[in-house]
Amino acid sequence: MSGFPRPRGSREEAELRRASLRLAALFTALMVGLLGLGGLLVYGIVATQTRQAAEQTLESAVRNDSPRDVPLDVFLAVYDDGRLAVSRDMPAGLPDEQALAEVARDGTSRRGTVSAGGRTYEVLTARRGPDVVQAAVDTNEAAEQLRRLAWSLAVSVLTAGILAGAVSAVAARAAMRPLAESLALQRRFVADASHELRTPLTLLSTRAQLLRRRLADPRGQESGSAADEAAKQEAAIKAADDVVTDTKVLTGILEDLLVAADPRQPATTEPVSLTAVARGAVGLLQPEAERRGLALELEAPDPDVTVCGGQAALQRIFTALGDNAMDYARTRVRVSVGRSGREAVIAVEDDGPGFPPGFSSHAFDRFASARDSESGTGNESAAAPRHYGLGLALVAEIAARYGGTVRATTASEGRGARLEVRLPLAGKATHL
């Protein structure tokens, strides 16, 4: 289990996907727009240069005296006193005799296009002295080059747009991930606080009200027997003790919530003796175990099981595992600390009903819930719900932060549950 929230399969994931797609779409549209404008600019420059080259060719051609002196791709016709001289291989449909006649009549130069033989020609007709000269240039090749350029630019823009979309989608998702994780942490903390604090706050309020009623009872002001006064005082003290106990429970829940609020915070580490931490945690749990009539045992044969971690966080592992075990134990809870290869092993076992079949893999999930039934009763209707709040999930997050793992199995004696945490020994730790 990771100590880092991933919003996959949740509302945060859907929001992340939508925000990433919007960001990628905007970036892609911007890139396509810029590339499109660049392509239009290139196409416009090339088209302008092509037209200017054709005009220069025509202007140069009409200055020639003989149709035989023009380039091969230019066709020239010279009209002189009723005689018409044309270039060799003049295409059918040329020259434009109507343009020749009009220029001969008014002397005004004319420019136009003529389609002949399935091809298009740019034509310039002008007067040069007593002669009328008409030059024609085939524009098909230039037009074909412009079409190829337009297709090339369009394909380039489309390809660049697809690549930009793919890259921007990945980049946008990576950029939005920290924000989505922050939102997920915030929502998870609110949900955890609402879920975990509602019951203890209600209970604390109820006990405080009962205590106030007992202290404010007017009958308590009247004189009575010493036994009655002692009983009333004992009841008030017990009510105050209950309030103090509930306050401690609430404080522990708040500590869990604050530790779990942002697991991305870097974990502070130092060499810590797990054996010493285990002894301290068992000492804290002992009064509650005695109150429940449970035997709380500690097995720590090796006095030097040292890991790198935080003292308070490691103690939370023991107290959370111990609290969970005492909730379901019948007669005893066993806490053990040992070594296995290069790992330190923390194990807490109880002799309760254990985990339902197939549920052990979910024991460390947040607020996991299952229904357990007593083995051998065969009465599934008598099954009781078994809930796991934030404690075991916090254990898994702490273990992950210090490079460890968690596991839930059946107890070593074949009955009950075994919760196990493995952490790298000092010098072997991998800090996340």
Side-chain angles (χ1 to χ4, degrees):
M1 178 177 177
S2 171
F4 195 69
R6 295 293 180 187
R8 294 179 181 173
S10 65
R11 183 173 60 181
E12 285 76 18
E13 176 67 14
E15 292 176 354
L16 170 64
R17 188 183 306 110
R18 287 194 294 268
S20 299
L21 288 176
R22 286 195 296 268
L23 186 59
L26 290 174
F27 180 77
T28 302
L30 177 62
M31 291 297 297
V32 170
L34 292 176
L35 291 173
L37 289 175
L40 290 176
L41 180 61
V42 170
Y43 182 85
I45 292 174
V46 173
T48 300
Q49 291 177 343
T50 300
R51 287 196 301 272
Q52 290 176 349
E55 291 174 359
Q56 291 174 359
T57 300
L58 291 173
E59 293 288 348
S60 176
V62 295
R63 296 191 185 97
N64 287 302
D65 297 328
S66 172
R68 291 191 296 263
D69 296 335
V70 296
L72 294 178
D73 58 343
V74 178
F75 304 97
L76 189 66
V78 179
Y79 182 73
D80 179 19
D81 292 334
R83 296 190 303 272
L84 182 64
V86 299
S87 298
R88 186 175 53 186
D89 300 327
M90 176 71 75
L94 289 176
D96 184 356
E97 296 181 358
Q98 181 180 354
L100 287 171
E102 291 174 353
V103 173
R105 182 175 61 253
D106 57 26
T108 303
S109 298
R110 283 174 171 76
R111 187 185 301 275
T113 58
V114 174
S115 296
R119 304 182 73 84
T120 302
Y121 301 89
E122 188 78 18
V123 177
L124 174 62
T125 307
R127 177 179 289 279
R128 191 189 67 228
D131 302 331
V132 177
V133 181
Q134 185 178 89
V137 176
D138 190 344
T139 61
N140 280 63
E141 183 176 351
E144 183 63 27
Q145 290 178 350
L146 288 176
R147 281 194 294 270
R148 287 197 295 267
L149 176 61
W151 275 108
S152 298
L153 291 174
V155 172
S156 298
V157 171
L158 179 61
T159 303
I162 294 174
L163 293 176
V167 173
S168 61
V170 175
R173 192 173 183 83
M176 295 295 294
R177 174 68 66 179
L179 176 59
E181 288 169 349
S182 297
L183 292 174
L185 283 171
Q186 183 185 50
R187 289 171 179 165
R188 192 183 73 173
F189 179 79
V190 173
D192 290 350
S194 175
H195 185 281
E196 290 289 313
L197 297 180
R198 185 180 294 112
T199 298
L201 283 174
T202 301
L203 183 59
L204 181 61
S205 176
T206 302
R207 292 193 190 279
Q209 292 177 36
L210 291 175
L211 176 59
R212 183 183 183 282
R213 289 175 184 174
R214 287 173 180 170
L215 294 176
D217 189 348
R219 292 175 299 176
Q221 307 297 329
E222 300 175 359
S223 60
S225 64
D228 290 341
E229 292 297 332
K232 292 176 182 179
Q233 184 177 6
E234 183 179 353
I237 292 174
K238 183 180 183 303
D241 289 340
D242 290 340
V243 171
V244 172
T245 300
D246 291 341
T247 304
K248 290 180 179 179
V249 171
L250 184 59
T251 300
I253 293 174
L254 285 173
E255 289 175 353
D256 284 351
L257 287 171
L258 292 175
V259 171
D262 191 357
R264 301 176 302 174
Q265 293 295 328
T268 57
T269 61
E270 59 181 351
V272 177
S273 171
L274 280 185
T275 305
V277 174
R279 289 197 183 99
V282 169
L284 293 174
L285 294 171
Q286 190 66 50
E288 180 64 17
E290 292 175 357
R291 188 184 71 82
R292 300 189 186 195
L294 300 173
L296 182 59
E297 306 170 359
L298 173 62
E299 293 183 0
D302 190 341
D304 187 26
V305 180
T306 304
V307 299
C308 285
Q311 181 89 17
L314 293 173
Q315 182 167 316
R316 292 303 300 162
I317 289 179
F318 284 99
T319 55
L321 294 180
D323 285 338
N324 178 267
M326 287 192 296
D327 286 341
Y328 303 104
R330 291 190 177 90
T331 61
R332 67 172 181 80
V333 172
R334 179 185 300 161
V335 179
S336 63
V337 177
R339 296 169 178 261
S340 178
R342 297 184 175 184
E343 295 179 319
V345 181
I346 302 169
V348 177
E349 298 183 0
D350 65 70
D351 60 351
F355 299 107
F359 185 73
S360 58
S361 60
H362 303 287
F364 291 93
D365 292 348
R366 303 169 67 82
F367 307 119
S369 180
R371 299 190 67 84
D372 302 336
S373 60
E374 297 291 335
S375 300
T377 63
N379 184 9
E380 294 299 327
S381 63
R386 183 167 183 169
H387 304 285
Y388 303 86
L390 186 62
L392 294 188
L394 178 62
V395 168
E397 291 179 358
I398 293 174
R401 294 179 76 187
Y402 295 129
T405 58
V406 295
R407 188 175 64 160
T409 59
T410 303
S412 57
E413 296 180 358
R415 183 177 180 84
R418 174 185 172 92
L419 297 173
E420 182 180 287
V421 177
R422 290 176 175 260
L423 297 171
L425 291 168
K428 311 293 192 302
T430 302
H431 307 301
L432 299 182

